[in-house]
Amino acid sequence: MNQLINCSGDTLRIKAPAKINLHLEILGMRSDGFHELAMVMQSIDLSDFIEIKGISTSELIISSNHSGLSLGDDNLIMKAARLIRTSSGRTDLGASIHLIKNIPIGAGLAGGSTDAAATLVGLNKLWKLNYSLQDLESMSAQLGSDVPFCISGGTQLCFGRGENLEKVDGASARDVMAIVLVKDPLVEVSTPWAYATYKKVNSSKYINDEGDFHVRRQLLRNSNWLKPLNVLSPPPLRNDLQEVVAPITPAVKNSLKFLSSLSGAVSLAMSGSGPSCFAIFPSLDAATSALENKKAELKKYGLDGWCCTFNMKGADCV
Ligand code: C5P
């Protein structure tokens, strides 16, 4: 059984929620080679957990319940631990970090990014470094475009590469909304490949002027995602990467077909660069009974399925 100790104890347990993209709009190219984006990101209540313990040496030890995961220098948890330790100048500090993996890998759900965010939040507390959330967000951008969002999570507008964040107030019906999420367990989509494929097809439509970017950001700031939601008719979902990934990825086509057969779904889309896809429901009960009624079809398509609500926080102690 997992040890459950809160953030004032010797072992910290940090919840690391996945995210979905309610709106992923590609505006153009940036001078650093990344795409300029305008997004609404939403944390969901499907989470990994990170358990962190102080140790008396300066080692950083990582373990996981997931045997298929590399735990070496390329692991984002290790990169995050090294980053915060180097930034603090306290190279004498060590920790043992255990990852409990529940979020599917290579799914477009920011699983690796949220683990990195939870590592920063946890080590900041364990080592009493007193970085603010803004400090952690700024430092985390070098780990990946989605990591800054995952620190505070909830609902946020994300601009730039994804690291320029504007928190959306909690006062709306978002906390009751739920999703059915599906993923083919045998398929992963590479994010660089998805963006490169989109660029090949769409680069002639790219805008590159800061003034034009500003106009598109303003449009998103004024969109209905920032207003109190009608759960039966939320604003339309948008994911520009879906246009290029879905037609050539049977797992995505099947996932969208499966989701469109669920009764009571109000809208559906792919998340991030895929292949996971989700349908929105006005409540967790509605999502759960819709999935329950189609268990046989889910199996026929070879998909894994989850029901969860939107989550109003990012990486946090439990
Ligand atoms: O930042 P992250 O590691 O998640 O990005 C993975 C890859 O996705 C980048 O190397 C790039 O190819 C693509 N990407 C992009 N524009 C973004 C974010 C990611 O082109 N804003």
Side-chain angles (χ1 to χ4, degrees):
M1 195 178 125
N2 296 319
Q3 218 181 342
L4 257 174
I5 302 176
N6 73 22
C7 274
S8 58
D10 293 338
T11 300
L12 309 182
R13 188 169 155 94
I14 319 286
K15 179 173 169 173
K19 64 84 188 157
I20 53 173
N21 300 83
L22 299 174
H23 184 100
L24 191 167
E25 182 180 353
I26 300 178
L27 305 182
M29 276 320 281
R30 297 156 53 89
S31 54
D32 60 8
F34 281 74
H35 285 84
E36 181 72 27
L37 305 175
M39 301 192 284
V40 183
M41 302 248 263
Q42 175 65 54
S43 301
I44 56 170
D45 201 8
L46 168 67
S47 303
D48 290 344
F49 291 87
I50 304 264
E51 292 171 342
I52 304 185
K53 252 194 293 200
I55 55 175
S56 55
T57 68
S58 60
E59 278 175 292
L60 293 170
I61 302 165
I62 303 187
S63 58
S64 174
N65 69 334
H66 190 295
S67 56
L69 213 58
S70 156
L71 299 173
D73 289 348
D74 56 332
N75 185 296
L76 268 183
I77 292 175
M78 181 61 94
K79 289 186 182 174
R82 292 221 166 107
L83 174 67
I84 192 168
R85 192 171 65 169
T86 306
S87 307
S88 70
R90 294 289 312 277
T91 46
D92 56 308
L93 296 169
S96 159
I97 304 171
H98 183 67
L99 165 67
I100 298 157
K101 192 87 205 144
N102 298 313
I103 303 170
I105 295 168
L109 298 169
S113 300
T114 193
D115 295 344
T119 302
L120 294 177
V121 168
L123 290 177
N124 187 39
K125 286 204 191 261
L126 179 82
W127 291 337
K128 301 188 170 55
L129 300 176
N130 292 322
Y131 285 116
S132 67
L133 287 180
Q134 283 85 346
D135 293 335
L136 297 180
E137 284 166 3
S138 309
M139 149 183 344
S140 71
Q142 62 183 282
L143 296 170
S145 306
D146 290 342
V147 186
F149 164 80
C150 292
I151 292 191
S152 295
T155 314
Q156 297 191 53
L157 294 174
C158 308
F159 299 121
R161 279 166 58 202
E163 85 289 19
N164 293 337
L165 307 175
E166 294 179 18
K167 187 105 184 142
V168 177
D169 277 348
S172 80
R174 274 186 297 273
D175 51 345
V176 302
M177 295 188 77
I179 59 169
V180 170
L181 177 72
V182 294
K183 181 186 179 278
D184 185 326
L186 303 177
V187 177
E188 291 182 20
V189 170
S190 146
T191 304
W193 168 81
Y195 277 101
T197 307
Y198 185 87
K199 186 178 168 194
K200 242 183 248 165
V201 181
N202 293 292
S203 61
S204 61
K205 292 192 288 188
Y206 283 4
I207 53 172
N208 291 300
D209 179 75
E210 182 49 38
D212 293 337
F213 290 157
H214 177 74
V215 170
R216 301 282 275 273
R217 288 179 200 129
Q218 269 318 103
L219 281 174
L220 194 54
R221 287 185 184 109
N222 291 329
S223 81
N224 286 336
W225 281 117
L226 278 80
K227 303 188 178 128
L229 295 184
N230 174 351
V231 291
L232 293 172
S233 139
L237 297 165
R238 172 172 176 172
N239 182 345
D240 288 351
L241 291 172
Q242 184 178 328
E243 259 173 52
V244 293
V245 175
I248 53 176
T249 312
V252 173
K253 273 195 264 185
N254 286 339
S255 296
L256 293 169
K257 200 164 155 200
F258 172 76
L259 291 171
S260 64
S261 76
L262 296 179
S263 71
V266 289
S267 51
L268 46 114
M270 187 177 85
S271 182
S273 52
S276 66
C277 294
F278 61 94
I280 294 197
F281 287 81
S283 70
L284 187 58
D285 280 351
T288 308
S289 70
L291 185 61
E292 199 52 47
N293 287 337
K294 296 279 178 171
K295 270 277 156 72
E297 277 94 323
L298 185 76
K299 202 165 163 205
K300 203 176 82 197
Y301 278 113
L303 298 170
D304 286 338
W306 299 261
C307 292
C308 58
T309 53
F310 286 9
N311 200 68
M312 291 305 128
K313 283 193 209 162
D316 203 13
C317 297
V318 286

